[in-house]
Amino acid sequence: IGMYATHTWKSNPDGYGDGGCFLFRLTPNAECFRFKPTFSSFGAEEGDDEKKVTRLQDVGQLMISSESFISMGVGEGGASGLRLNEDLTRGSTSKSMGFDNDELVGPGIEVFDVGLVEVYRFIRDVDNKPVDGDVDPWKGVFE
């Protein structure tokens, strides 16, 4: 299971990110859950998946994080599509409004132990620079 974040994770409980964020699972049936905004509320045409999410209530359905967790997708009662605790050892998953995902681990399994975390940063072949800019995502993390 996993999530694709369009922005570098930072402490921001109000939400951030854009419509390129998505949740996914590989087993038992591989599936990608893309953010599905109400297009009329953004003035975008349906199919314009890269349209920036600008309203606070919609951004809050994407990436939310603090010093104690990172999460993507907002569900009922404060649940998340996928949420990991501060040391990435425990996670939870539930149906989220913006992604309309199923529980990512399996039916009826909402809380789980994390066995492995993989983090990737995409680098452009042309100039060998990160696609998310030259900002150092680790600056200040270990100070």
Side-chain angles (χ1 to χ4, degrees):
I1 66 170
M3 52 188 149
Y4 174 78
T6 56
H7 290 68
T8 301
W9 291 101
K10 60 187 175 197
S11 184
N12 184 340
D14 293 327
Y16 52 103
D18 63 38
C21 293
F22 61 86
L23 299 169
F24 66 91
R25 71 167 171 235
L26 300 176
T27 62
N29 299 314
E31 192 166 357
C32 178
F33 301 96
R34 297 192 179 279
F35 183 67
K36 298 175 184 171
T38 304
F39 287 98
S40 62
S41 67
F42 297 107
E45 298 294 322
E46 189 162 348
D48 186 6
D49 295 333
E50 297 304 314
K51 179 75 176 171
K52 294 282 185 194
V53 177
T54 55
R55 295 186 326 169
L56 181 60
Q57 66 212 50
D58 296 312
V59 171
Q61 293 183 31
L62 296 169
M63 300 167 63
I64 301 173
S65 53
S66 73
E67 293 180 11
S68 61
F69 71 90
I70 62 173
S71 70
M72 189 173 290
V74 174
E76 303 240 345
S80 301
L82 181 56
R83 178 182 177 127
L84 300 175
N85 69 351
E86 69 274 1
D87 61 0
L88 309 177
T89 59
R90 303 267 303 153
S92 62
T93 179
S94 67
K95 186 173 184 68
S96 65
M97 294 178 281
F99 294 94
D100 195 30
N101 60 290
D102 299 326
E103 294 160 339
L104 299 175
V105 177
I109 302 172
E110 291 184 12
V111 178
F112 56 92
D113 290 324
V114 176
L116 174 69
V117 174
E118 294 183 25
V119 178
Y120 298 91
R121 188 175 194 196
F122 296 105
I123 306 296
R124 296 187 297 234
D125 221 11
V126 174
D127 57 7
N128 209 27
K129 293 193 179 219
V131 296
D132 59 344
D134 289 328
V135 176
D136 182 1
W138 300 108
K139 184 176 182 179
V141 172
F142 299 107
E143 294 176 357

